[in-house]
Amino acid sequence: MALEDAMFGRVGNNCGDGICNVTCGICPTDCGTCTIARPITKCKHPNHFALTFDDGPSTLTESLVHKLNAAGVQATVFIVGNTAAAHPERWRAIKLAYESGHDIGAHTYSHRSMGPSGRIDVNPNITWPMTVDEMRAELVMTDVLVEAVLGVRPRLVRLPYLEWSAQAIQALDTYGYFPVNINVDSYDWRLQDPEATPEAVLAQFIKAFERAKSAGSWISLKHDTQPHSVAAVPTIIDYLKTQKVELVRTCLGLDPYRAPGANPFLNDRIGNKVAVEVSRGRPARWFGRRVEAPRALSCADDACQGLMT
């Protein structure tokens, strides 16, 4: 309840009270109409190709960044919050990626599925979906970690296991995130010794790309936790260059981070609604920090077009 009070004020309990503390699917009166129906799986512009990497930071993340930098290619790295929290010695790799121009996205805090199963590898006994409050906690905790390391809060979220539900998408939409999935899956994690080689990753990547060519633009998935996958990065980049695609970092036409002073808990479009208690026109306080109350924004520009299709 302390988190609820800090985020939404003590009176944010009922739909219609002007306080968005649920989702656009549950209470559009307070949270506005939902604008996202499903995860984004391709780039905004034709022939754009985005490389993305999941499950870090690992001991291999820094090597990955150096390989990308050497090739002059930028990518998006989706980090798991509790992994980063448990390994502060790996924060250097996150900072290196960010300072090199790569995007840092969130892969939730615990890597628990946001789909109907709610599964999580560390506890196979969990077989039920997360509540909205649990989803919000996963996102906020990861935000706090990334902000502690980089000073920014991510808006791009990779769904664990690529799984989702309508409720999860509505929650992400309401809280100001963009769910980013893929249409080219290397399945690098399936490879086990002795088959786990860079050549095998490249072969699987090529097959996946050939299957997805008709999509016209692409977002791919690899893991910076897999040595054979990180080792395959230079050859994959060389292959993509032969395909004449344009390798890009932020391929959605969206800012990957929240604007300075923006509401840290809600989509910009809800910025004109009450998010916390504000007294006599003074700035709101979120987590005890003084920030200016955000102005209302619209999701009607070109960057948001197509998210409902």
Side-chain angles (χ1 to χ4, degrees), residues 89-106:
E89 74 279 4
R90 300 177 188 174
W91 293 6
R92 184 176 73 171
I94 301 173
K95 291 179 181 178
L96 175 65
Y98 178 72
E99 292 169 357
S100 298
H102 306 285
D103 287 338
I104 305 300

Side-chain angles (χ1 to χ4, degrees), residues 156-219:
L156 306 182
V157 174
R158 170 61 47 76
L159 301 167
Y161 312 104
L162 305 178
E163 295 174 354
W164 55 281
S165 65
Q167 177 176 257
I169 301 304
Q170 291 164 6
L172 289 165
D173 185 4
T174 303
Y175 306 143
Y177 301 94
F178 294 100
V180 183
N181 274 2
I182 58 146
N183 57 6
V184 176
D185 194 340
S186 68
Y187 289 109
D188 53 352
W189 58 274
R190 289 184 176 177
L191 294 168
Q192 303 294 321
D193 289 333
E195 288 78 24
T197 65
E199 293 78 14
V201 175
L202 175 62
Q204 292 188 173
F205 187 95
I206 292 173
K207 288 181 181 178
F209 179 61
E210 290 296 327
R211 288 193 296 268
K213 264 191 174 178
S214 62
S217 66
W218 309 272
I219 302 174

Side-chain angles (χ1 to χ4, degrees), residues 15-308:
C15 184
D17 60 13
I19 299 176
C20 177
N21 68 330
V22 282
T23 72
C24 56
I26 296 172
C27 184
T29 302
D30 293 341
C31 300
T33 302
C34 296
T35 63
I36 303 175
R38 57 182 57 85
I40 303 163
T41 58
K42 58 188 286 187
C43 295
K44 178 181 178 181
H45 297 294
N47 207 46
H48 278 190
F49 196 110
L51 295 170
T52 71
F53 299 85
D54 285 9
D55 290 358
S58 78
T59 55
L60 302 171
T61 304
E62 191 166 344
S63 173
L64 166 67
V65 175
H66 286 307
K67 291 180 188 299
L68 291 168
N69 290 352
V73 171
Q74 294 180 322
T76 301
V77 179
F78 291 95
I79 71 166
V80 178
N82 64 7
T83 300
H87 296 281
E89 74 279 4
R90 300 177 188 174
W91 293 6
R92 184 176 73 171
I94 301 173
K95 291 179 181 178
L96 175 65
Y98 178 72
E99 292 169 357
S100 298
H102 306 285
D103 287 338
I104 305 300
H107 199 25
T108 74
Y109 195 80
S110 70
H111 200 273
R112 185 178 173 188
S113 171
M114 297 183 85
S117 72
R119 63 182 172 130
I120 183 170
D121 287 343
V122 297
N123 188 351
N125 293 320
I126 292 179
T127 57
W128 56 89
M130 283 195 285
T131 66
V132 168
D133 287 344
E134 288 170 332
M135 292 179 191
R136 185 164 56 215
E138 290 270 348
L139 297 165
V140 170
M141 290 172 68
T142 307
D143 282 359
V144 170
L145 187 284
V146 174
E147 186 173 33
V149 177
L150 301 177
V152 295
R153 285 180 173 241
R155 294 203 302 166
L156 306 182
V157 174
R158 170 61 47 76
L159 301 167
Y161 312 104
L162 305 178
E163 295 174 354
W164 55 281
S165 65
Q167 177 176 257
I169 301 304
Q170 291 164 6
L172 289 165
D173 185 4
T174 303
Y175 306 143
Y177 301 94
F178 294 100
V180 183
N181 274 2
I182 58 146
N183 57 6
V184 176
D185 194 340
S186 68
Y187 289 109
D188 53 352
W189 58 274
R190 289 184 176 177
L191 294 168
Q192 303 294 321
D193 289 333
E195 288 78 24
T197 65
E199 293 78 14
V201 175
L202 175 62
Q204 292 188 173
F205 187 95
I206 292 173
K207 288 181 181 178
F209 179 61
E210 290 296 327
R211 288 193 296 268
K213 264 191 174 178
S214 62
S217 66
W218 309 272
I219 302 174
S220 70
L221 170 60
K222 294 162 86 298
H223 296 81
D224 53 315
T225 55
Q226 306 291 332
H228 50 284
S229 196
V230 172
V233 166
T235 55
I236 285 175
I237 290 173
D238 288 343
Y239 164 73
L240 289 172
K241 287 180 178 178
T242 69
Q243 300 302 298
K244 309 299 182 184
V245 300
E246 184 177 352
L247 288 161
V248 295
R249 174 194 51 152
T250 303
C251 79
L252 308 177
L254 302 165
D255 191 330
Y257 308 108
R258 290 185 193 264
N263 190 315
F265 308 115
L266 294 173
N267 193 304
D268 290 340
R269 72 171 185 270
I270 314 170
N272 64 330
K273 295 183 179 293
V274 178
V276 294
E277 292 178 315
V278 182
S279 175
R280 298 175 184 173
R282 290 179 294 183
R285 290 180 181 272
W286 289 297
F287 285 146
R289 282 191 313 161
R290 184 182 185 279
V291 294
E292 297 298 325
R295 62 187 178 90
L297 296 177
S298 169
C299 198
D301 57 59
D302 290 343
C304 296
Q305 297 304 310
L307 296 184
M308 290 296 292

